[in-house]
Amino acid sequence: MEADGFVRRRRMTAETTGNDSGVAGASAGAEVRWLGGRFWGVSESIVGSLTPRVGGETELQTVDFIRSAQDAQTEDTEPDYEGLPQGASTSTHMLAGAVAGIMEHCLMFPIDCVKTRMQSLQPDPAARYKNVMDALRRIVATEGVWRPMRGLNVTAIGAGPAHALYFASYEKLKKTLSDVIHPGANSHLANGTAGCAATLLHDAVMNPAEVVKQRMQMYNSPYGGVMDCIRAVWQKEGPAAFYRSYTTQLTMNVPFQALHFMTYEYLQELLNPHRQYNPSSHMLSGALAGAIAAAATTPLDVCKTLLNTQESLTLGQGQGAHRHISGLAHAFRTVYRLGGLQGFFKGVQARIIYQMPSTAISWSVYEFFKYGLTKHQHNKRRAQHVEAEI
């Protein structure tokens, strides 16, 4: 996104000349500032005293008398939010990524609970659901309104640092690889490679939280809370249990994120070629990218859920001396033996329903915070510049 933003910025400048450039720049700048101002007002307390100005509002009250003389120049210097200030980009990406990850997981957590249950290979008769809405309705009716939210706290704790590393490493690697593979332009290979590398860091942080979360989401979960679950798993299965599904998670998430990032960047080229802050394009691109990647990697997600939950009913049927299901190959054999080919797509509907809004939220929040933080730094530099001139 960073490299793309600089390239497209230069192209737009080169392709527009004379007064048309000023008019186009002013129009686009006003629209972006209006959107940013409306959205940012809700989250002002998170970032600080930043509140982007709307259209014709003056930037500095103390220099109002020189504002009209510098209108055209100010509009032309509207910041390119893809071109982050040097030295601040990593912290910007990490903060934006952490907020996006926490919001994504928290808002979609009830659907994630349903997905985990619907992927169960040998569910309890009371936990056999027709579809997502039927599952939610029955869980709330029979187990309580807060039951779909069990495990939310450990997920939020893991999602913050995991997504901070995820987005920061992706942006850094994408820019570095794009400059090597295809200097001055977007590279799908760089996007996919950067997404795969970022997944290694993300999953290393998130995998233990996933184990605890999914065990608490299962029907008749024996754990009283997060700490009880962590203590029980540690004592009965050892610390390795928290990373038993790590290789499967990577096997699933590496192709998932490669598809996800390449599809997102490709759709952004189509829907938002100038890489401006455009909430609708970020949301649509994120939703479609998430749906495609989720559908393609559902078989691996079923195996990951089996490795994380270690279903007792599954272990008790024909496993003989096996106390635990360990490894991707063992999980694949178990899924095929108990469910056939259809077993690999259990919960695919819930997974897509979960991933579409999840990735849409993640990208929308991430791009919004990245835009706001970048504009904040731009305004500070511009204020310092004006004060220096006075």
Side-chain angles (χ1 to χ4, degrees), residues 12 20 92 103 147 153 213-214 223 236 290 300 305 335:
M12 290 173 66
D20 292 340
T92 299
M103 288 190 65
R147 185 61 181 84
N153 48 356
K213 177 201 73 173
Q214 290 196 310
Y223 309 107
K236 294 178 181 179
L300 291 165
T305 298
V335 172

Side-chain angles (χ1 to χ4, degrees), residues 34-254:
W34 186 87
L35 286 169
R38 286 294 178 266
F39 280 111
W40 194 260
V42 179
S43 305
E44 185 175 7
S45 60
I46 298 175
V47 180
S49 59
L50 166 66
T51 305
R53 307 306 203 256
V54 179
E57 186 180 347
T58 56
E59 296 294 324
L60 292 170
Q61 297 297 331
T62 57
V63 293
D64 186 51
F65 65 95
I66 64 170
R67 178 69 172 91
S68 57
Q70 295 181 337
D71 257 348
Q73 180 179 354
T74 302
E75 297 297 342
D76 288 340
T77 58
E78 177 68 21
D80 177 4
Y81 91 108
E82 293 285 2
L84 296 174
Q86 187 175 4
S89 61
T90 300
S91 60
T92 299
H93 288 310
M94 292 189 77
L95 178 57
V99 175
I102 292 171
M103 288 190 65
E104 167 198 344
H105 283 281
C106 290
L107 291 175
M108 298 306 301
F109 197 81
I111 306 299
D112 186 48
C113 175
V114 171
K115 176 186 75 73
T116 298
R117 292 196 180 192
M118 293 185 74
Q119 287 180 338
S120 175
L121 294 175
Q122 296 290 310
D124 187 281
R128 297 178 187 272
Y129 310 112
K130 298 176 182 178
N131 51 50
V132 175
M133 292 309 299
D134 176 57
L136 277 175
R137 186 167 52 250
R138 288 175 56 186
I139 291 172
V140 170
T142 60
E143 302 175 53
V145 67
W146 294 111
R147 185 61 181 84
M149 306 303 290
R150 288 197 76 202
L152 175 62
N153 48 356
V154 71
T155 301
I157 292 171
H163 280 74
L165 290 171
Y166 176 66
F167 279 108
S169 58
Y170 169 72
E171 294 281 6
K172 179 66 176 177
L173 287 170
K174 185 187 75 170
K175 183 180 185 303
T176 302
L177 293 173
S178 292
D179 290 342
V180 173
I181 298 172
H182 198 175
N186 184 42
S187 169
H188 294 301
L189 178 60
N191 298 335
T193 305
C196 293
T199 301
L200 297 175
L201 294 174
H202 172 274
D203 288 358
V205 176
M206 198 67 190
N207 206 87
E210 282 281 321
V211 172
V212 176
K213 177 201 73 173
Q214 290 196 310
R215 293 197 180 207
M216 294 189 68
Q217 287 175 332
M218 295 298 288
Y219 180 75
N220 272 345
S221 174
Y223 309 107
V226 170
M227 294 309 299
D228 179 44
C229 180
I230 294 173
R231 189 164 46 246
V233 173
W234 185 285
Q235 292 174 352
K236 294 178 181 179
E237 303 175 44
F242 293 102
Y243 282 94
R244 184 179 288 126
S245 65
Y246 183 57
T247 53
T248 302
Q249 183 100 337
L250 289 178
T251 304
M252 175 188 73
N253 278 346
V254 165

